[in-house]
Amino acid sequence: MTLLKAYARKRESDLFNICSYLLRSLKVNFTSRGLLDALEDHIEYPSLLSVKDTLFKYGIASDAIDKGTYSYEVFETPFICSIQQEDWPDAKFTIVTVAEAGNIEYLDPLTDKPVHIPVGDFEKIDKHVILLLDTTAPKHETNLAENRKKQRDSMLAGRVSVYLVLAAVLFAAGHILTHTAGLPAWCGLGFLLSSFLGLLISSLLIWNEIDTHNPFIREVCGGKSRKLNCHAVLSSSKASFGGISWSVWGFAFFAAFFCTQLLFPAHPGFMLIWSALSLLTAPYILFSVYYQWRVIKQWCPLCLVIQVVLGANALIAGCYLSDSPALPGSMEPYHIVVTVLAGLSFLLLANTAIPELRNARDGRTYEKKWKKLRYNPEIFQALLDKSDSVTVQANDLGIVVGNPHADNEIIKVCNPYCGPCSKAHPELEQLVKNNPGLKLRIIFTATGDANDKRTPVVAHLLAIQQKYGSEAVRLALDDWYLASDKDYKAFEQKYPMNGALEEQQEKIQAMRNWCKDMKIRATPTIYINGRELPDSYRVTELKNFF
């Protein structure tokens, strides 16, 4: 498997693969970016719960059950389960597409291709927890156009950077072949390509120092092989020199090497310097191979590739120096200074960046653990129980969105002209839409006075609910809160109410009295089942509890 293929496969998890396979089979429009973000942003990722909640966003309801003694054929396909081969360190998720006639067809988590095996063989690797799927009403991805644009821009940015580097290499190679003749030209081309390859491999070694557990790095470094283990070699006692790891030394060496070859292709002065350096570093090949073979007794595939590159450089250097005996006069102090400064700069950059990048990775890990604790329902409920409670009943007040008979209720106290209230509206509406057991009660702070600009808007919304019902007022709320300009005249023309507005004064006054009794001082004020939302939580976080 090539590095590019390994990267393309390992950058996405088995969870992503089964979800994308299912969505494609159902002809659901989605983006890889949107699906991957939905999975990885889940506080329980990677888990069956993260798959369940992610698929729900695409209109696919699901329920996890214990297979027990039931036959696979009694379950409607497709369904999701986890399997584990004997040589796998952990279980992986798969999707079963066919279960009939004593055979099972499932998506191989390693190859991402359908596999047919007998039921008995599948039974041996199955973990017996099945996620049943309701695929009758799938829906396309929310914000599909926006996500497609972001994904396209991200891919374009990545490809452009790769194309620019390749173009620079090709331009330098072309310059060498058109401005230099004979063996020096081929030696210059060899140095250019070998330094480029060395930079790529040493960058992977740097990546290994930052994130040892990255699936792509683990695959490149030998996967499940006991003899191939980059981490064992790179974390050994001899894996550093002068307090700096050999990975950093190698990166600085090849980065400076490549930059000088790119900027000064086949220049005699720089060719001489790098020829000398290539010969000086050649003994390191013997040290590295012996240390891995006889001391560690494990091999680092990336390190071995680096040794091959260093060996090729030594051969190129020998050929170049043997063909150019008069070259020492072409080397000037300028060439030495540029080489030294470039090497030191990359050495300092890598040595400084690695701890910062490692801390950033650890920070993301700790953040996920913190969110898992923060979004624990028991902790959230304990904090709710300590917050202020609703002391005045609000059963007949305001506008109700969602199932009026739902067990759970969110009260939103708001001002129709309040900016934060407008931002909270779509979040709460989506929450209610996705949870039939949740209702939203909206109570307004309007005074009912004629000179209060809030009064006509609130009266209008109440009149719409009274005359047309909950679905009409939900659409009217969207029109009002999602509008960038709160223009009541335009709203009034779209929803003509005639004399129904005057009938709402009593309702407005009742809401006003409730707000006074509850001592509402700011909007929006949110209550969850009669308890005020703690200050440390935001409306956008409520989706983690409902």
Side-chain angles (χ1 to χ4, degrees):
M1 179 184 297
T2 64
L3 290 181
L4 289 178
K5 288 183 179 178
Y7 176 71
R9 183 167 70 81
K10 284 297 176 179
R11 67 190 297 268
E12 286 120 6
S13 66
D14 50 331
L15 279 72
F16 173 87
N17 290 334
I18 60 173
C19 289
S20 61
Y21 183 89
L22 176 64
L23 295 178
R24 286 196 302 269
S25 67
L26 297 175
K27 294 180 171 51
V28 173
N29 293 330
F30 72 100
T31 62
S32 297
R33 179 192 179 101
L35 176 59
L36 202 57
D37 287 348
L39 283 168
E40 294 183 346
D41 288 346
H42 196 283
I43 60 173
E44 297 291 343
Y45 176 84
S47 68
L48 199 61
L49 180 59
S50 64
V51 174
K52 175 183 172 69
D53 292 344
T54 296
L55 291 179
F56 185 77
K57 295 180 179 180
Y58 292 91
I60 302 172
S62 58
D63 197 11
I65 65 168
D66 188 339
K67 175 185 175 295
T69 59
Y70 290 101
S71 168
Y72 291 106
E73 296 182 1
V74 305
F75 301 118
E76 184 178 353
T77 56
F79 60 80
I80 293 172
C81 60
S82 62
I83 58 176
Q84 186 172 9
Q85 301 276 13
E86 290 185 2
D87 57 346
W88 292 0
D90 47 33
K92 298 183 183 298
F93 291 98
T94 185
I95 181 168
V96 174
T97 53
V98 176
E100 60 184 13
N103 291 310
I104 292 285
E105 180 184 274
Y106 69 98
L107 192 69
D108 190 321
L110 298 183
T111 63
D112 200 23
K113 294 180 180 178
V115 175
H116 294 78
I117 63 172
V119 168
D121 293 342
F122 188 80
E123 184 83 29
K124 295 177 183 178
I125 61 175
D126 183 25
K127 306 295 284 187
H128 287 202
V129 176
I130 292 177
L131 186 67
L132 299 176
L133 306 172
D134 179 4
T135 59
T136 57
K139 62 182 182 181
H140 302 311
E141 185 172 286
T142 306
N143 301 324
L144 180 64
E146 180 182 351
N147 288 342
R148 278 178 172 170
K149 183 179 183 302
K150 290 180 179 179
Q151 180 170 289
R152 185 171 58 250
D153 293 345
S154 177
M155 291 177 61
L156 182 62
R159 289 177 179 176
V160 166
S161 60
V162 172
Y163 293 154
L164 287 176
V165 172
L166 293 178
V169 172
L170 292 175
F171 183 79
H175 179 84
I176 291 172
L177 295 177
T178 55
H179 290 75
T180 310
L183 186 61
W186 295 108
C187 289
L189 185 61
F191 270 164
L192 176 68
L193 297 179
S194 68
S195 62
F196 181 48
L197 177 60
L199 179 59
L200 289 179
I201 302 302
S202 59
S203 297
L204 291 178
L205 288 170
I206 292 289
W207 190 359
N208 179 78
E209 288 208 12
I210 296 170
D211 189 3
T212 306
H213 302 290
N214 184 278
F216 170 64
I217 292 295
R218 292 175 66 181
E219 178 75 8
V220 171
C221 286
K224 299 181 288 292
S225 174
R226 296 181 179 180
K227 288 292 185 180
L228 301 178
N229 190 337
C230 290
H231 180 67
V233 176
L234 297 175
S235 61
S236 64
S237 59
K238 300 296 183 181
S240 62
F241 176 74
I244 299 175
S245 70
W246 282 116
S247 300
V248 174
W249 284 109
F251 173 80
F253 178 85
F254 284 110
F257 194 177
F258 176 65
C259 285
T260 54
Q261 294 304 306
L262 192 67
L263 297 175
F264 310 98
H267 187 284
F270 288 104
M271 288 290 292
L272 181 60
I273 291 175
W274 287 109
S275 294
L277 290 174
S278 296
L279 293 176
L280 289 173
T281 56
Y284 177 75
I285 301 173
L286 300 176
F287 164 76
S288 179
V289 172
Y290 177 81
Y291 189 72
Q292 295 177 67
W293 174 38
R294 303 299 295 176
V295 180
I296 298 296
K297 296 182 180 179
Q298 295 191 80
W299 298 97
C300 168
L302 296 177
C303 302
L304 293 178
V305 175
I306 289 293
Q307 309 320 316
V308 171
V309 174
L310 291 176
N313 285 341
L315 291 176
I316 295 171
C319 293
Y320 184 74
L321 293 176
S322 64
D323 188 67
S324 308
L327 271 178
S330 62
M331 185 173 62
E332 300 177 1
Y334 169 78
H335 306 137
I336 299 175
V337 171
V338 168
T339 302
V340 171
L341 289 179
L344 290 176
S345 297
F346 285 114
L347 184 68
L348 180 63
L349 174 65
N351 203 43
T352 304
I354 287 176
E356 296 298 327
L357 293 173
R358 191 183 292 123
N359 289 337
R361 181 210 61 193
D362 293 341
R364 289 192 294 271
T365 302
Y366 292 138
E367 180 186 11
K368 180 156 286 192
K369 291 180 179 179
W370 172 77
K371 284 184 176 180
K372 192 171 183 178
L373 182 64
R374 175 180 175 82
Y375 298 146
N376 184 304
E378 295 179 359
I379 293 178
F380 179 67
Q381 186 60 49
L383 293 174
L384 270 182
D385 291 341
K386 293 181 179 180
S387 64
D388 294 338
S389 61
V390 173
T391 56
V392 182
Q393 291 298 318
N395 294 337
D396 300 321
L397 301 180
I399 293 173
V400 176
V401 178
N403 178 13
H405 305 293
D407 295 331
N408 297 303
E409 180 183 65
I410 297 178
I411 296 178
K412 174 191 176 189
V413 185
C414 63
N415 171 355
Y417 288 95
C418 165
C421 297
S422 297
K423 292 180 180 179
H425 172 76
E427 295 283 347
L428 292 172
E429 184 184 11
Q430 189 66 29
L431 196 65
V432 172
K433 184 178 179 181
N434 293 336
N435 293 273
L438 180 65
K439 64 183 175 183
L440 171 65
R441 183 180 302 276
I442 304 175
I443 297 178
F444 295 98
T445 58
T447 62
D449 297 338
N451 59 354
D452 182 358
K453 69 175 184 177
R454 298 171 294 181
T455 297
V457 180
V458 173
H460 216 109
L461 291 169
L462 291 170
I464 294 172
Q465 176 178 246
Q466 175 181 301
K467 187 173 182 180
Y468 297 110
S470 59
E471 182 61 23
V473 76
R474 183 186 68 80
L475 296 175
L477 286 166
D478 287 347
D479 285 340
W480 178 259
Y481 276 120
L482 300 183
S484 56
D485 182 21
K486 301 294 188 291
D487 186 351
Y488 175 65
K489 290 185 178 180
F491 183 78
E492 183 182 26
Q493 291 176 0
K494 186 173 183 178
Y495 297 95
M497 285 292 108
N498 299 323
L501 300 182
E502 288 73 14
E503 302 174 10
Q504 311 305 320
Q505 286 299 318
E506 184 177 343
K507 297 177 184 177
I508 295 175
Q509 191 58 48
M511 288 191 293
R512 175 62 176 172
N513 292 337
W514 185 90
C515 290
K516 288 176 65 177
D517 293 338
M518 288 297 302
K519 296 181 172 59
I520 300 298
R521 297 291 181 264
T523 57
T525 298
I526 307 295
Y527 292 94
I528 312 293
N529 290 330
R531 293 284 184 172
E532 187 174 357
L533 181 69
D535 291 337
S536 58
Y537 287 90
R538 294 174 294 179
V539 170
T540 55
E541 296 177 292
L542 292 178
K543 61 179 178 289
N544 296 288
F545 306 106
F546 296 100

